[in-house]
Amino acid sequence: MYRFSKFRAWVGGALGIFLPLLNSTSLSAAEPAGDDGQWTMATKDYGNVRFSGLDQINTQNAKSLKLSWTFSTGVFRGQEAAPLVVGNTMYVVTPFPNYLYALDLNKPGTVKWKYDPKAEAAAKGEACCDWVNRGAAYAEGRIFYNTLDANTVAVDAASGKEIWKTKIGDINKGETITMAPMTVKGKVYVGISGGEFGVRGRLTCVSAADGKILWRAYSCGPDKDCLIGPRFHPFYDSDKGTDLGVKTWPPGHWKIGGGTIWGFLSYDPETNLLFYGMGNPGSWNPDLRPGDNKWSCGCFARDADTGEAVWYYQWSPHDEFDHDGINECMLLELKVDGPDKPARKVLVHPGRTGYMYVLDRATGQVLSADPFTRITASKGVDLKSGRSITNEEKRPRIGKVIRDVQPASPGAKDWQPSAYSPRTGLLYVPHQNLTCDYEAVEANYIAGTPYLGVNERMYAGPGGYRGKFMAWDPVARKEVWGIKENFPVWSGTVVTAGDVAFYGTMDRHFKCVNAKTGEVLWDFETDSGIIGQPVTFKGPDGKQYVAVLAGVGGWAGAIVAGQLDPRDPSAALGFVNAVKDLPDHTKPGDKLYVFALP
Amino acid sequence: MTLPAALSCKREERSFRVAPPFVEMPEAIPYNNRVRPGPFATTTPSTSQPVSVERLSHEPFGRQYLINAQALSDGQTLYGAFNCSGCHANGGGGMGPPLLDNKWFYGAEPEQVYVSILEGRPNGMPSYRGRIPDYQMWELVGYVLSLSGQASPNAAAGRSEHMTTALPPNSTPREKPEVVPQPTTGPATGKTATQPTTTSQPRQNGQ
């Protein structure tokens, strides 16, 4: 959702051509006042657009950006969080042990307070992909965030005192939390991680006032557990019927059926709907779970008050390659029906499967699904049935090694969030170019241990580059420009009204690029590789700042954060083989960097 | 013609099965820290006497699993079946630490590895007590140690049962195990703490 009424007329009209003339003064008039000075949730806005109306830093002066201040968190693991800015305070969540720092922006770099949730150390062994945390959410004087040991906490934003702490999951079953919660109208929405442990995914709604659990909506199992009732009207026939969350599994398998929720949530205030994606089904090995495995690897639209499901679409029925469907659902209004027709309210999802999905936000109908990378894992998306078309040649079978499956398990794009600029009409998509060899093997479910059944080794796709920062035109449905990077681009991005976009690389570069042309305007070398989410805000002095955490890790950087051994190509679920040389380029890091114009 | 026959008489002695242990815990577990508080240690009852690593290296029990091909082969199968591979991969690590290298947080003596599997460890290693028959736990110990070349090359597996990943245990260079502190929240030490370089030379393990 992005309510720029003045843009609607032209946002979709770009049709892949750069917009040569833009009246930027009319844009700032349309800006919701005050919002852009702050950054109050990881996604910046409910629609996951990550566009900032701040325009002090622009294509002309970006080259003069200077380091303003830094802050060291003392936690040297993958830094995937977005710092929050509320008033004159910045809030930073670290990877496990999940400290929360409040930093005074009036005296940059000074700590107002530090909160320690005392998370259980054993959680570190239950987290699939480093001990990351993707950030917090602010509402009504409270900071909400999740800890690796599967608790949600509410902390007083002024004092740093814990207000409540609610246990969401059980680490003995491999349940952890890495995602940033979303808070809407007195409710906090929290997912669960553990798709590699046979965790039964669910969205938990917690009362912001006292931490009580209001409802849970499961991703597999009987309809009543999944809050599927009379309001549920999926667009495609394959999603219609009762208890599909049971019937599309071998008997009882839904109890360890995955469909975890660890990406970002979106919210549309006009329809009061939440949108989010589900992760892979339980056991990576698809042979162990014949069927569509609903409701894994799809997207739910749910009523934000009651949790009732409204529609569902499955990106990849019977997921074969760990192509979690958790990537962000960006709520946009685009002229996808033609330049003369009114803009349509759509949901854009740059999928792990390698397709750029554009869905009708009201119905869940797929309007388009175009490849934004090389794809061998599937043969396209049938728009009539909505189904992904299986490539039989690449179908995993027990005991058989399938070669050159692209996208590899992290997908064409993983969790790293994209941004959209209504000024350029372009999406900015950090992603990777990885292919893999994939062997399905037997798997046993033992609670609290990985439930995988796959041997994998990844490597760079054709071209040899492993990552890319791309601008994509969602109306013309094509790439406009792309910057190839040596390593996967595992950082998020932000685009601004100054027509610049920021992203970081795993080999320690923080870059500012021209949002229209992709020209690199500024490049800063950090201590450690960047996998965090850059944010921009207005400081107490009225200046525009850009902040990012640098500290390599996550799945892609596990070789450095976890000191893994590159002699085993299957280390870190096969990712190590693709990034064997990363330790030559970066060490672990813990630092927040804040930049501004002199 | 008599030469091969004569040589074959000098074959090493091998047992095909290791007798299953009749106690759950080995008698003496090497301590992870050699420093003992004194002087009372000398007067403690003999059953709880600290036992030096040197002495244990002559203890036959745990080591039998490092020279027995059947046990090592079974250990390899169990390593997959009990999901060890999910966290430690084929020795390179992932959610759990690597097993190919020379770095051990809790000791590399067979009895120490056994205790790690039996009791778990506080930073995420789950306890398998009651989930794996004891003799299979020892077979796992043997296979885990073979990943860093601690097993006899004559007995260790020569090929993986699956897609080629790390070198097979009978070809893995023998590491000299050392106990290292576990990096928790401070800067990681060891291999990756060096200054970034621009060379693409393969890293020397254990440096």
Side-chain angles (χ1 to χ4, degrees), chain A residues 38 84 92 102 244 285 288 451 469 523 558:
Chain A
Q38 309 187 95
L84 297 192
V92 177
L244 294 184
N285 179 346
L288 303 178
Y451 185 46
F469 186 70
D523 183 337

Side-chain angles (χ1 to χ4, degrees), chain A residues 4 90 120 170 247 263 281 359 440 484 494 517 549:
Chain A
F4 278 74
M90 177 182 279
E120 281 184 67
D170 178 3
K247 291 174 186 165
L359 269 60
K484 290 172 184 169
V494 56
T517 63
L549 282 156

Side-chain angles (χ1 to χ4, degrees), chain A residues 145-209:
Chain A
Y145 74 102
N146 302 314
T147 58
L148 195 68
D149 66 349
N151 284 275
T152 302
V153 293
V155 179
D156 184 87
S159 68
K161 294 276 178 298
E162 181 180 296
I163 298 169
W164 51 257
K165 182 174 189 174
T166 299
K167 189 179 172 188
I168 303 292
D170 178 3
I171 54 170
N172 288 307
K173 295 180 187 164
E175 295 176 345
T176 54
I177 311 183
T178 55
M179 57 96 73
M182 175 163 275
T183 171
V184 177
K185 295 188 296 182
K187 293 186 174 69
V188 183
Y189 303 95
V190 183
I192 197 89
S193 300
E196 282 59 56
F197 289 74
V199 166
R200 189 181 171 206
R202 72 270 183 178
L203 185 73
T204 307
C205 176
V206 181
S207 163

